[in-house]
Amino acid sequence: MSSPSPYQLDAWPRRERRAVAVLPYAMLALSAVLTVFIRDSKQESFLLDLALCGLAAVWMLCLYTLVPTWRERPAVRAVFFTGLIAIMTVLVIRDPWFGFFTFTGYFFAVSIPPGRWRLLAVAAVAVLTGTSQAGGFSTAAAGRVGLIVYLGCVLVNLVVAGAFTWFGWVSYAQNVRRAQMVKELSEANRQLEATLAENAGLHEQLLTQAREAGILDERQRMAREIHDTLAQGLAGIITQLQAAEQASDDPAERRRHLEAATRLARDSLTEARRSVDELRPEPLEQARLAGALRGVAERWSALNAIPVQVTTTGAERTLRPETEFALLRTAQEALANVAKHADATRVGLTLSYMDEEVVLDVRDDGRGFDPARITREPAYASAIAAADGGDVVQFGDTDSGDDWRAGNGHPAPPGGFGLVAMRQRIEGVSGRLQVESEPGGGTAISACVPVRPTGNSA
């Protein structure tokens, strides 16, 4: 047997209300028909019985059926039910078969709010129903046996009706409690959804702020580089040209100043090209991130004669431009560090697409280093400045062999400034950078960046 559909379940209360509204009139009509047949067969008058039936019908029709709002008024409800019980009592006294009608009094009794008044109403209907089943009040007056039969019928009806009323009361209270719990649960779910939506908005806002902060940091970095390279180079060119103009009487001195200006112009052009390349990464214009990484790895391997294994896992998809830019620059910086410092024989590059994040891993089997030493050494910027002048800057303890030097072609500290740049780039897109290395054990760099749909970019 198939389960009822939701529509059928919703329609059942309406059908029940219609049946309860019609059934008292139907049972009253049945009892009236029985009265006519039985009294007519005995050649007795039935006019008073029919008049009482009419009175009962009019009483129910006027005080209950036609004006539903009166049912909610305690005073009107009390008058209606008391009058109905009185009419039913007279009918049962005259004709016990009106028990077909008196049992419908339970329908009106249960419409009274739960409490002692409902119990009293149910008890009154139970007494009348038991009386009709016992054959009327005359049975109780017929002797000891008749009294026992009468009391037994009434007691059974009181117990059964009282038990069902109690169980209905408990069920009603449980339904009210369940409805309240469902309402509270719905409200809690609504608040949870609102909180989740608010948290999602805050998360999006934080990511947007982090991206804007990263863009601002990148602009500040480019401004510093332009000031320290191009602006200073152009100022040097102007100075050398002015000096050459003033040394017009000395051809050798004039030639020296012109050569210096030419050298500064070439250096400035190189710096300008490097800055343009950093602002507009060419590999990402020609391929997705995975393809761009493979192209960078192939060119780096051909230049440094070190094999690179590139692996992509997960479903490849398009990321935000700033995310792809940061991961590509991180890979380039990591490979540059390997070429400068690692003395490696092979390199592995893995790009992993996950549900909520994308991870870039760069591993080598080089000589490694102590990551903690990076924070203890002098600033790499000082080494760069010294290198421009051809001087040697020494880090660490000379007796222990920690002689990382910068300038005149000597290697710089392993990734000190590069690691900072990589970390800043990754953190600028709300990611995190992890470095694992030890002397003689190679180096592993992992960049993890959260993934958001490209359509939601601010």
Side-chain angles (χ1 to χ4, degrees), residues 168-339:
W169 189 356
V170 173
S171 177
Y172 172 79
Q174 290 178 340
N175 290 336
V176 171
R177 183 179 178 183
R178 291 193 188 99
Q180 182 64 26
M181 293 175 62
V182 170
K183 182 179 179 181
E184 293 175 355
L185 182 60
S186 300
E187 179 64 19
N189 288 336
R190 187 191 65 78
Q191 293 179 357
L192 180 59
E193 291 177 356
T195 302
L196 291 176
E198 182 180 0
N199 289 342
L202 292 175
H203 181 67
E204 182 72 18
Q205 183 179 358
L206 289 175
L207 291 179
T208 300
Q209 291 177 351
R211 183 172 67 253
E212 292 175 351
I215 294 174
L216 180 60
D217 291 342
E218 184 68 11
R219 288 175 177 174
Q220 292 175 348
R221 186 187 68 81
M222 292 302 300
R224 289 193 300 268
E225 288 192 4
I226 291 173
H227 174 269
D228 294 340
T229 56
L230 299 180
Q232 292 182 1
L234 292 175
I237 292 172
I238 293 174
T239 301
Q240 294 297 330
L241 291 177
Q242 290 176 345
E245 183 179 359
Q246 295 175 358
S248 57
D249 297 336
D250 188 348
E253 185 69 13
R254 184 170 180 271
R255 187 182 309 107
R256 187 178 69 82
H257 287 299
L258 290 175
E259 290 176 354
T262 303
R263 185 170 61 253
L264 286 173
R266 290 197 182 100
D267 292 342
S268 298
L269 179 60
T270 301
E271 290 295 331
R273 288 173 175 171
R274 183 184 63 82
S275 299
V276 170
D277 288 339
E278 287 193 356
L279 289 175
R280 184 182 53 86
E282 181 180 356
L284 288 177
E285 293 183 354
Q286 301 175 354
R288 283 187 173 184
L289 177 60
L293 289 175
R294 282 191 289 269
V296 169
E298 290 175 359
R299 290 191 294 272
W300 183 89
S301 179
L303 180 63
N304 296 278
I306 300 176
V308 181
Q309 181 180 0
V310 181
T311 305
T312 302
T313 63
E316 184 177 347
R317 56 188 182 275
T318 302
L319 306 176
R320 289 178 176 270
E322 59 268 23
T323 300
E324 293 187 341
F325 178 84
L327 291 174
L328 178 65
R329 287 302 186 212
T330 299
Q332 291 175 327
E333 185 65 33
L335 291 175
N337 284 341
V338 173

Side-chain angles (χ1 to χ4, degrees), residues 91-142:
L91 289 172
V92 169
I93 291 174
R94 289 184 56 81
D95 304 303
W97 53 81
F98 271 94
F100 290 110
F101 170 60
T102 57
F103 90 91
T104 60
Y106 288 122
F107 300 151
F108 302 107
V110 296
S111 65
I112 300 174
R116 60 181 180 177
W117 293 112
R118 175 184 285 189
L119 291 176
L120 290 175
V122 170
V125 176
V127 170
L128 288 178
T129 304
T131 299
S132 68
Q133 292 170 355
F137 291 102
S138 59
T139 303

